[in-house]
Amino acid sequence: MQERLQKIIAKAGIASRRSAEELITNHKVTVNGKVITELGVKVDPTQQRIEVNGKLVNKQEPKVYIILNKPRGYISTLKDPQKRPIVIDLIKDIKQRVFPVGRLDYHTEGLLLLTNDGDLTQKLLHPRNRVVKTYLVGINGTLTRSDVTKLESGIKLDDGLTAPAKVKFVRGKRDKSWWEITIHEGRKRQVRRMFQNLDRSIHELKRIRFGPLELGKLVPGEYRLLTEREIRGLKRWPGHQR
Ligand code: URA
């Protein structure tokens, strides 16, 4: 939430409101490294770094939200005993230590959210909040009507029946086809196991949506910061679903 800079400084116990104003007009206050001299500037202390006389006021690290198009051949954990490439290696110019929200398999590509916002991560991963994920699935062959019905009604896996998925034909013919599958569960290798159960082999698996976020035009390996609007949408998302 945005607040007036002098109020944030006063709330941090550094100065009275009046002295905080003087600190600002005397060029002693920076926001994200930029000196602010105007009074009344509004700032979000959870997102921006505020310093008075070079000292950090908001001890909390600014929150950062990144959308990455994870390439195939990367691991989405923070370490890999097999020393395979990890997604964090792709994030070059971000000071904060960020973590992936959930996982994508080594061979899966697509939308991966990374953040240092632990509260939001927990919310988004909690099964109760049913955050939907859509995958573009490329298969050898095609799905029959009966396959689609099975996916839509639930598939029996080793760890139980899957919740009904939404299935949409995208393109293709009898030898190769692409489908959009939307699920809200997050079991290990879930989509691959669902298709395995139908005896369909996957040649491409890409996550294209995560809650309200869309992968858009990011190419594999590319990332960007979320917009304010996207962050708001994400924070509201679980609320909408209940
Ligand atoms: N389902 C899978 O099988 N793999 C993923 O990476 C994501 C969902």
Side-chain angles (χ1 to χ4, degrees):
M1 197 187 70
Q2 290 209 326
E3 274 185 310
R4 281 174 196 274
L5 193 49
Q6 57 265 44
K7 190 167 172 193
I8 297 168
I9 296 169
K11 272 212 244 168
I14 288 171
S16 66
R17 185 80 70 95
R18 168 59 78 75
S19 319
E21 288 176 358
E22 282 170 14
L23 286 167
I24 294 170
T25 50
N26 290 334
H27 301 223
K28 304 288 187 203
V29 180
T30 60
V31 173
N32 287 348
K34 196 173 151 228
V35 179
I36 302 290
T37 53
E38 254 174 73
L39 295 176
V41 170
K42 284 194 168 174
V43 174
D44 183 345
T46 65
Q47 303 292 327
Q48 289 159 294
R49 193 181 170 84
I50 305 162
E51 288 172 334
V52 174
N53 287 322
K55 272 201 175 160
L56 191 64
V57 167
N58 49 336
K59 291 283 182 267
Q60 242 181 358
E61 258 208 321
K63 299 282 184 265
V64 62
Y65 305 88
I66 298 167
I67 176 173
L68 165 74
N69 185 347
K70 174 196 168 299
R72 282 165 158 235
Y74 276 77
I75 286 285
S76 49
T77 48
L78 296 178
K79 273 193 198 150
D80 182 40
Q82 295 177 50
K83 301 265 182 281
R84 288 170 296 182
I86 57 173
V87 289
I88 299 296
D89 292 342
L90 296 164
I91 311 296
K92 302 285 186 207
D93 51 358
I94 304 286
K95 278 200 228 141
Q96 293 90 327
R97 209 168 122 80
V98 291
F99 307 91
V101 178
R103 305 251 184 277
L104 285 179
D105 298 339
Y106 182 64
H107 293 293
T108 303
E109 138 181 4
L111 197 166
L112 188 64
L113 175 67
L114 299 129
T115 182
N116 57 349
D117 186 336
D119 291 342
L120 183 68
T121 301
Q122 278 192 2
K123 253 201 236 174
L124 294 174
L125 294 182
H126 199 293
R128 180 189 61 206
N129 293 321
R130 299 181 163 213
V131 174
V132 292
K133 300 119 195 158
T134 301
Y135 296 87
L136 181 68
V137 190
I139 59 170
N140 298 312
T142 189
L143 294 179
T144 61
R145 195 168 280 273
S146 140
D147 292 335
V148 172
T149 307
K150 285 183 192 160
L151 289 165
E152 286 174 341
S153 44
I155 295 214
K156 209 160 166 230
L157 300 179
D158 306 346
D159 50 0
L161 193 68
T162 59
K166 278 196 190 138
V167 183
K168 192 175 133 195
F169 172 74
V170 179
R171 66 192 145 90
K173 299 227 170 85
R174 287 168 69 150
D175 58 334
K176 255 186 184 179
S177 56
W178 281 262
W179 300 77
E180 274 185 25
I181 307 294
T182 302
I183 57 174
H184 62 73
E185 294 172 302
R187 304 191 208 173
K188 227 174 170 194
R189 296 174 55 80
Q190 180 165 344
V191 176
R192 291 183 193 277
R193 288 192 293 138
M194 287 163 82
F195 278 73
Q196 212 168 30
N197 186 283
L198 300 172
D199 262 333
R200 305 285 162 209
S201 73
I202 290 182
H203 60 78
E204 183 185 358
L205 183 57
K206 176 161 140 188
R207 182 152 71 189
I208 54 172
R209 271 179 236 116
F210 179 82
L213 301 179
E214 303 243 1
L215 180 62
K217 293 197 165 69
L218 290 175
V219 298
E222 212 180 8
Y223 62 91
R224 66 170 173 82
L225 294 176
L226 293 192
T227 62
E228 286 289 323
R229 194 190 166 125
E230 285 172 321
I231 297 168
R232 274 200 307 275
L234 257 190
K235 288 184 174 172
R236 271 203 307 258
W237 176 270
H240 278 326
Q241 294 300 297
R242 266 184 234 129

